[in-house]
Amino acid sequence: MEQGSARGAVRPPYASGAYSGGAPASGRIPEQARGPEQTRGEPPHGGPAAPHTVRRHSVRGQILDALRAALVDGELLPGQVYSAPALGARFGVSATPVREAMQQLAAEGAVEVVPNRGFRVSERGPRELAELAEVRALIEVPVMLRLARTVPADRWNLLRPLADATVTAAAVGDRASYAESDRAFHRAVLALTGNSQLVMIAEGLHRRSQWPPASLPATRRADLLADAAEHTALLDALVAQDLAVVESLVREHFTGSDG
């Protein structure tokens, strides 16, 4: 049950709150958050940068977060083409940071470059979701079983707030916030291995599994709540070192969940 496709009536990806920076209702990035090409009153050439000036790479990061949230939330529709200048105008920035963010999404497989037009949101079907779930299970099931044998209960209990955060996001049906908190929970679990490469690879697979496929219904709040509850149940099983339950929960989580 990876997250469903776009809603019937979608907000534009530049709508208020569509990116993690919390844009105002106009959808424009606040003056203080823009890059050098948008910030007024900059020092003359050769002068020192003003304190707290946010450079373009920071704007690009904000735009990247915004676009990722819009993908998860179904505001960027599979199969649709979006131009960097149009999105930039709506965000209140130049096309450059939008184009750079879209190039990153293209490298991740979320969008495809359409020459002279922009970027098309990739269309994904059930088979791709199933393949991602299988690969994630191949990686994470044995890892979590190993951790269940070696990590003490008090370490698992430190992850309770992260599990609770997924429940909070699910309770209000916020798919973008749920996706972020869900990745944070899984990242923290896998980080207990001390293997940064494992964490990085699993994070990439996880993010890809959260993009909504085409032609599937949007994820319901009840589905998110059920998935979030599995995080809490998983922690309980890990604390109890119940390996059978751990394996069952992780496999079910990947094959029938948003997590």
Side-chain angles (χ1 to χ4, degrees), residues 19-251:
Y19 75 107
S20 60
S26 65
R28 298 179 65 85
I29 291 179
E31 184 78 24
Q32 67 271 21
R34 301 183 197 170
E37 69 261 40
Q38 288 88 30
T39 304
R40 297 176 183 172
E42 291 218 324
H45 293 296
H52 308 301
T53 298
V54 179
R55 295 298 181 184
R56 195 184 73 210
H57 72 271
S58 298
V59 178
R60 179 183 60 202
Q62 292 179 50
I63 298 299
L64 181 59
D65 289 343
L67 294 173
R68 282 173 168 164
L71 280 168
V72 170
D73 212 26
E75 295 169 353
L76 292 178
L77 300 174
Q80 295 295 312
V81 176
Y82 299 88
S83 72
L87 289 175
R90 298 298 183 174
F91 279 120
V93 299
S94 74
T96 300
V98 177
R99 190 173 291 111
E100 291 171 344
M102 281 292 200
Q103 290 288 355
Q104 175 61 38
L105 290 175
E108 296 173 2
V111 300
E112 305 164 1
V113 178
V114 181
N116 302 319
R117 292 185 60 195
F119 302 85
R120 178 185 293 112
V121 177
S122 299
E123 298 183 82
R124 303 159 56 249
R127 178 173 179 176
E128 183 176 347
L129 285 178
E131 291 174 348
L132 286 168
E134 181 180 9
V135 175
R136 291 184 67 199
L138 288 171
I139 293 175
E140 295 195 35
V141 168
V143 168
M144 290 198 188
L145 289 175
R146 175 162 58 89
L147 291 174
R149 297 185 185 97
T150 58
V151 175
D154 59 338
R155 293 288 299 277
W156 292 123
N157 286 325
L158 291 175
L159 303 188
R160 296 283 180 185
L162 295 177
D164 292 342
T166 68
V167 175
T168 299
V172 296
D174 188 336
R175 286 182 288 170
S177 293
Y178 179 82
E180 184 176 352
S181 59
D182 180 37
R183 290 195 311 275
F185 174 80
H186 283 265
R187 185 167 57 244
V189 170
L190 295 179
L192 293 175
T193 64
N195 188 329
S196 60
Q197 296 301 312
L198 169 67
V199 174
M200 180 178 64
I201 291 171
E203 171 94 355
L205 291 169
H206 194 168
R207 190 184 295 279
R208 288 175 60 190
S209 73
Q210 292 175 328
W211 303 329
S215 70
L216 287 180
T219 306
R220 301 174 303 167
R221 183 170 63 175
D223 296 328
L224 293 179
L225 283 169
D227 296 328
E230 290 177 355
H231 294 143
T232 301
L234 176 60
L235 284 180
D236 291 339
L238 289 166
V239 168
Q241 293 187 320
D242 191 331
L243 303 186
V245 174
V246 168
E247 180 171 2
S248 175
L249 282 171
V250 176
R251 291 191 185 280

